Amino acid sequence: MKELLRTKGFKSTPQRELIFDCFFSLGKHVSVDELYQKVRELDPSVGHSTVWRNLKLICQLGLAEEVNIGDGITRYDRTTPKPHGHFFCRNCKKLLEFDVGSVMGALVEAAHEFEFEPDGYKIEVQGYCSDCRQDDRTNDVATRSANDERKA
Amino acid sequence: MKELLRTKGFKSTPQRELIFDCFFSLGKHVSVDELYQKVRELDPSVGHSTVWRNLKLICQLGLAEEVNIGDGITRYDRTTPKPHGHFFCRNCKKLLEFDVGSVMGALVEAAHEFEFEPDGYKIEVQGYCSDCRQDDRTNDVATRSANDERKA
DNA sequence: TTGAAAATGAAAGTCGTTTTCAATTGGCGA
DNA sequence: TCGCCAATTGAAAACGACTTTCATTTTCAA
């Protein structure tokens, strides 16, 4: 890692190494705060902004990319050799990955038609995972009474 | 529109009608502020929060849905009979729509394998549109001093 | 008409993200 | 190895989009 940083012109610092290590030791889809907590376990002196900046750096280095599922929290996903999509459970907030190889062809083709030069794909499918499926869901209704439930 | 609101248990107010009208008269992918500006042109007394709340209401009624392209701004897209994806130009921020009929099958199948019950799809392809394509782009580089090398 | 409930507008609050700035540190050249 | 200078750090504040609060106004069913 130290090597990669040097060759790219960045300095290696203890904080940076720690943050990088923590990021890669954690699972995927890490938020800044999740990473921050992890880092603090090992070195409570590391600052919030340092974690944030290094997470950005990890993205700049092409080692991860942002994932935005629309809940206001940016997560960071290690880049993988093959692109993948996400199933996002509206209930338990779980994020599952699935292979999108079968849809890439169609996407690339569509892009070609638009003379669009793609360099990133975000395929997010929202719904309910196997644990949270139910038939009498009440949280996507447009009626007044459902509003009140929601607030609770 | 007044009818729809009533039947769903919501009241009809001048502000609400105006906001709804403006939303549907504007193109797609409207942000709260864009809608707010439009509304203010016709009635400067309407408040920011009223616009925001009614945009949420439009979503609750199933007439629109949020689109998140990761730039921190939530846009609202009229729901259309057929699902569509977006091409988001990193340079000019343009948002183009494309038909995703050809990929839906694969997505639904993948969801089925995961026992996932989908109810929303977000297919965002990022890159550069035909107007912004160029070969010597310099805004996605990960190297500090290697910028120069790469261009040469 | 009238009152309960909903909607409004201004302002303030929330919260994740980003920047500022002074102090510290890494690492290249001498 | 040493010293310099730019990169990095940490605390705090700034930022900005989103959301809530609350007093007031308005809608609409009875």
Side-chain angles (χ1 to χ4, degrees), chain A residues 68 107 116 118 120-124, chain B residues 29 66-70 77 84-88 95-96 98 100 121-127:
Chain A
N68 237 289
L107 287 183
F116 190 89
Y121 304 86
K122 297 196 178 181
I123 301 176
E124 317 285 346
Chain B
H29 319 125
E66 300 187 349
V67 178
N68 237 289
I69 53 181
D77 194 3
H84 58 268
H86 295 120
F87 288 124
F88 176 61
L95 210 48
L96 302 167
F98 67 94
V100 292
Y121 304 87
K122 297 195 178 182
I123 301 176
E124 317 286 344
V125 178
Q126 309 196 357

Side-chain angles (χ1 to χ4, degrees), chain A residues 97-110:
Chain A
E97 295 189 352
F98 68 95
D99 178 66
V100 292
S102 56
V103 310
M104 291 305 288
L107 287 183
V108 170
E109 190 176 327

Side-chain angles (χ1 to χ4, degrees), chain A residues 138-152:
Chain A
T138 59
N139 47 7
D140 58 351
V141 179
T143 49
R144 157 112 357 243
S145 51
N147 270 351
D148 312 332
E149 298 170 19
R150 180 176 316 188
K151 293 202 187 144

Side-chain angles (χ1 to χ4, degrees), chain A residues 62-126:
Chain A
L63 302 174
E65 53 190 22
E66 300 188 348
V67 179
N68 237 289
I69 53 181
D71 67 347
I73 296 176
T74 303
R75 271 163 255 267
Y76 297 81
D77 194 4
R78 274 187 275 169
T79 48
T80 51
K82 55 168 57 179
H84 58 267
H86 294 120
F87 289 124
F88 176 61
C89 179
R90 293 187 192 278
N91 185 247
C92 67
K93 315 300 182 193
K94 202 184 307 166
L95 210 48
L96 303 167
E97 295 189 352
F98 68 95
D99 178 66
V100 292
S102 56
V103 310
M104 291 305 288
L107 287 183
V108 170
E109 190 176 327
H112 188 71
E113 283 175 24
F114 279 75
E115 294 181 38
F116 190 89
E117 180 185 303
D119 65 1
Y121 304 86
K122 297 196 178 181
I123 301 176
E124 317 285 346
V125 179
Q126 310 197 357

Side-chain angles (χ1 to χ4, degrees), chain A residues 9-11 13 15-16 40 45-47 49-50 53-54:
Chain A
F10 295 100
K11 292 183 178 176
T13 67
Q15 297 94 329
R16 178 163 286 168
R40 296 281 290 205
S45 72
V46 178
S49 50
T50 300
R53 278 184 291 230
N54 277 289

